[in-house]
Amino acid sequence: MTQHLFILTGGSRGMGLALARQLLVPGHSLVSIARRANPELAAPEGAQLEQWTLDLADGAQAAARLQSWLAAQPAGRYASATLINNAGVIPRIAPLSASDPADLANALRVGLEAPMQLTAAFLGATEGWGVPRKVLNISSGLGRRAMASQAAYCAAKAGMDHFTRCLALDEAAKPNGARVCSLAPGVIDTDMQVQLRSADAADFPDVGNFAQLKSSGSLTSPEEAARRLLAWLAREDFGANPVADVRDA
C-alpha cells in the first residue's frame, strides 16, 4: 500500500496542468478529469496516470463514473486519497442583465454543482477505506469579494467556500472523516486573466485593474501557484480552517 491517489479536475491546461505535472511523481496515481486529454502529460516510472475526457457541465455523469471507479479499486491499494476540484469557467464578461441563461448555467454547473457531486461521490466511495482522505477545493478571492460583471463566477466560488464549511462539519463528526479546505490560490497568470484584461471596459469596470496586475508583474506563474497549493495540501494543519488563502500565514 504505497501509492497515493489524487483525483484532479481541469488538469489539462493552466494551473491545473501545472498541478498535474507536479503530482506525477513516483508513488502517486493521478486521475485527471478534463474536457480534453493533454498529450504532454506522462507518468514517470513509479507513477500512474489516467486521463478521463468528461465535460463537467454534466457533473452527475462524472460523479457516477468516479464512484464506480473508486468502488472497483482493490481494498488496501492506496495509502491515501485526495480530490482536488480545480476546474472552473468564466462566462462572457457582462452585467447579469446582459448574460445568457445557458452561459450562466454552465458556469455554475462546472464551478459549483460538479465539485459538490464529485466530492459526494469521492467521500461516499472511500469512507470505508480507512486511509487519510482530503478534499482541496480551489476557490478564488472573487468568492469573498464582489466584482461587477462577474456574478456567476463569484457566486460559484462563494458557494464552493460555503459548501466546504458545511462539509467540514459533516466530516468532523465522523471517526475517519476527511479533511477539507476551500483554498484561494492568489492571482495567477492564466487564460482566465487574459479574458479579464481583454474585456470591454464598458462591460467590465475592473478591466484596468487586471491590466495593471499583468504590467506590474504581480501575477503568479501557474507553476508557482501549483507549488504553493500542494505545499498547503501537505501541511499538518490542512483543513483546520476550511476556507483559506495561500497568502495566509
Side-chain angles (χ1 to χ4, degrees), residues 25-144:
V25 298
H28 285 187
S29 292
L30 174 65
V31 175
S32 175
I33 305 173
R35 281 184 299 168
R36 299 176 186 85
N38 189 319
E40 296 177 12
L41 270 183
E45 187 175 351
Q48 295 178 333
L49 169 67
E50 291 192 28
Q51 295 194 67
W52 297 357
T53 51
L54 297 171
D55 187 349
L56 292 176
D58 187 350
Q61 179 190 41
R65 177 167 178 185
L66 179 61
Q67 195 281 331
S68 176
W69 184 86
L70 289 168
Q73 298 309 300
R77 179 174 182 180
Y78 297 110
S80 70
T82 300
L83 171 65
I84 303 175
N85 285 306
N86 164 72
V89 294
I90 290 183
R92 190 176 77 82
I93 298 166
L96 189 65
S97 58
S99 297
D100 176 70
D103 205 20
L104 294 173
N106 183 69
L108 290 168
R109 285 175 181 149
V110 174
L112 179 57
E113 187 175 291
M116 293 187 74
Q117 292 166 321
L118 288 169
T119 299
F122 170 77
L123 292 176
T126 60
E127 197 156 40
W129 284 16
V131 301
R133 295 171 302 142
K134 297 178 182 178
V135 176
L136 172 59
N137 289 325
I138 307 301
S139 185
S140 169
L142 293 186
R144 303 158 200 182

Side-chain angles (χ1 to χ4, degrees), residues 8 23 35 43 74 96 103 122 145 150 177 229 232 243 245 248:
L8 169 69
L23 285 168
R35 281 184 299 168
L96 189 65
D103 205 20
F122 170 77
R145 177 172 63 88
Q150 283 294 291
L229 288 168
W232 194 282
V243 175
D245 188 299
D248 294 344

